[in-house]
Amino acid sequence: MPVVHLVRHGQASFGADDYDHLSDLGRAQAVVVGQALATRGLRSPVAVHGTLRRQRDTAALALPAVPAQVDGRWDEYDHLDLLKRYATTTEHDGTSRSVQVLLDQALSDWVLDGDGTWSAFSGGVVDALTDLASGLESGRDAVVFTSGGVIAAVCAHLLGLGADGVVALNRVAVNAAITKLALGRGGTTLMTFNEHGHLDPASTTFR
């Protein structure tokens, strides 16, 4: 039974001018998750990531010997644009926790909006997973280096969850965590979500 591991990228650079690059800790997390993947007996793994630098660099550090495919459907949504569109206030104290509160509400409003953009985003993610699964040969596994919102969208789809579920999953997504999917005859099954026991507690981050 083929297995797909969804890996959230290492910590990006919150508060910097360019968010889309790994922090020093994020680079270390990427190496650690690569070590964790190496213990799983991956079978001729296929590696995939989106177009974002933080996803690409996590893949390169975690699986340096595996050439990665690029599929933009695994890209994260633009959280800054989301806040501009849906946040009722832009006031926060500069901490990632205060920004997360604003993002939770904005994400919920987006999922419930009905303007079609959430459906396009989540549908694209599901299509990317479907295409990956259909092209995965028997006896091979895949590792997708992506982002928290994407993983939340996949899991919410598999579990039949609505806006509250998407927000709850997105909120607790840990950097460099692993979510495991099994591809069986009956479809795709969520086996584990957000595994991060390979990370030292002191180096476990959400943003």
Side-chain angles (χ1 to χ4, degrees):
M1 182 182 297
V3 171
V4 175
H5 299 278
L6 303 180
V7 178
R8 189 184 177 205
H9 60 77
Q11 184 188 56
S13 297
F14 176 79
D17 291 338
D18 182 9
Y19 174 79
D20 189 26
H21 69 273
L22 296 179
S23 67
D24 289 343
L25 176 56
R27 296 180 68 83
Q29 291 169 338
V31 172
V32 171
V33 75
Q35 295 168 345
L37 290 168
T39 68
R40 296 189 174 220
L42 299 177
R43 301 166 298 173
S44 302
V46 174
V48 186
H49 58 72
T51 67
L52 301 177
R53 185 191 309 171
R54 58 190 184 271
Q55 299 171 346
R56 179 193 68 209
D57 290 352
T58 301
L61 289 164
L63 294 180
V66 181
Q69 304 170 15
V70 181
D71 185 341
R73 293 176 296 181
W74 293 106
D75 285 356
E76 181 67 292
Y77 57 80
D78 185 337
H79 70 285
L80 295 178
D81 179 67
L82 197 67
L83 290 172
K84 289 178 182 177
R85 290 167 56 196
Y86 293 101
T88 56
T89 178
T90 58
E91 295 182 3
H92 58 83
D93 61 12
T95 64
S96 61
R97 178 173 295 183
S98 65
V99 173
Q100 186 63 49
V101 172
L102 298 178
L103 184 59
D104 284 353
Q105 187 59 57
L107 180 57
S108 178
D109 290 346
W110 182 33
V111 175
L112 295 171
D113 191 319
D115 68 350
T117 56
W118 166 257
S119 295
F121 171 78
S122 60
V125 171
V126 172
D127 287 347
L129 177 60
T130 300
D131 290 347
L132 176 61
S134 64
L136 200 58
E137 300 173 1
S138 178
R140 298 194 73 181
D141 298 321
V143 183
V144 180
F145 296 89
T146 183
S147 299
V150 174
I151 295 170
V154 169
C155 294
H157 169 75
L158 294 174
L159 297 174
L161 303 178
D164 288 346
V166 172
V167 172
L169 292 167
N170 184 72
R171 184 189 303 122
V172 298
V174 171
N175 292 115
I178 301 171
T179 292
K180 181 179 177 181
L181 310 178
L183 309 179
R185 293 180 180 179
T188 301
T189 301
L190 176 62
M191 302 298 291
T192 67
F193 169 69
N194 209 34
E195 297 177 66
H196 56 278
H198 49 279
L199 298 169
D200 184 276
S203 62
T204 300
T205 59
F206 298 89
R207 298 291 174 267

